[in-house]
Amino acid sequence: MKREFSLDQYAAASRSTAQKWELKDSTETPSRILLNREQEILMADAVSELPEDYQEVIMLRNLQRLSFKQVAERMNRSPGAVQMLWLRALNQLQERLERG
């Protein structure tokens, strides 16, 4: 049985253990509620600026939680085409959010 290990291994194991036991503060403070609402508004505004097919794929995939196959059927596209459309939409959304 090996008893020696590197400090890097120890640090990684410690972080992993700490994350498992970390308590989440789920208290909804007025400021946290306001911040969440502001983020939702920024997200909605950014999505509304996207091309219509990007908006649709994000709504179906992320909000309605449909599978790529289901989204493809609704959009009359192949599942592969929907995956690529979704990735392009997310990239453009991220760029808009970063620009603020």
Side-chain angles (χ1 to χ4, degrees), residues 29-76:
T29 63
S31 61
R32 185 173 290 167
I33 292 169
L34 182 60
L35 180 62
N36 288 343
R37 182 67 183 136
E38 288 174 358
Q39 289 174 340
E40 289 171 1
I41 291 169
L42 289 173
M43 179 70 73
D45 287 345
V47 169
S48 72
E49 295 173 359
L50 296 174
E52 200 170 300
D53 57 342
Y54 285 9
Q55 290 180 34
E56 184 177 6
V57 75
I58 287 174
M59 296 298 178
L60 293 172
R61 183 76 181 127
N62 294 86
L63 295 178
Q64 294 184 19
R65 304 224 185 263
L66 298 179
S67 68
F68 284 114
K69 182 180 177 187
Q70 292 169 317
V71 175
E73 290 170 0
R74 290 207 182 174
M75 295 185 76
N76 294 320

Side-chain angles (χ1 to χ4, degrees), residues 53-54 77 81 83-93:
D53 57 342
Y54 285 9
R77 297 175 186 235
Q83 284 180 313
M84 291 306 298
L85 181 69
W86 180 68
L87 288 173
R88 287 193 303 269
L90 291 181
N91 285 334
Q92 209 174 89
L93 178 60

Side-chain angles (χ1 to χ4, degrees), residues 9-35:
Q9 290 172 320
Y10 177 77
S14 295
R15 280 192 302 274
S16 175
T17 302
Q19 288 171 352
K20 288 178 188 175
W21 292 102
E22 183 179 312
L23 296 176
K24 302 287 183 199
D25 181 11
S26 61
T27 306
E28 288 290 319
T29 63
S31 61
R32 185 173 290 167
I33 292 169
L34 182 60
L35 180 62

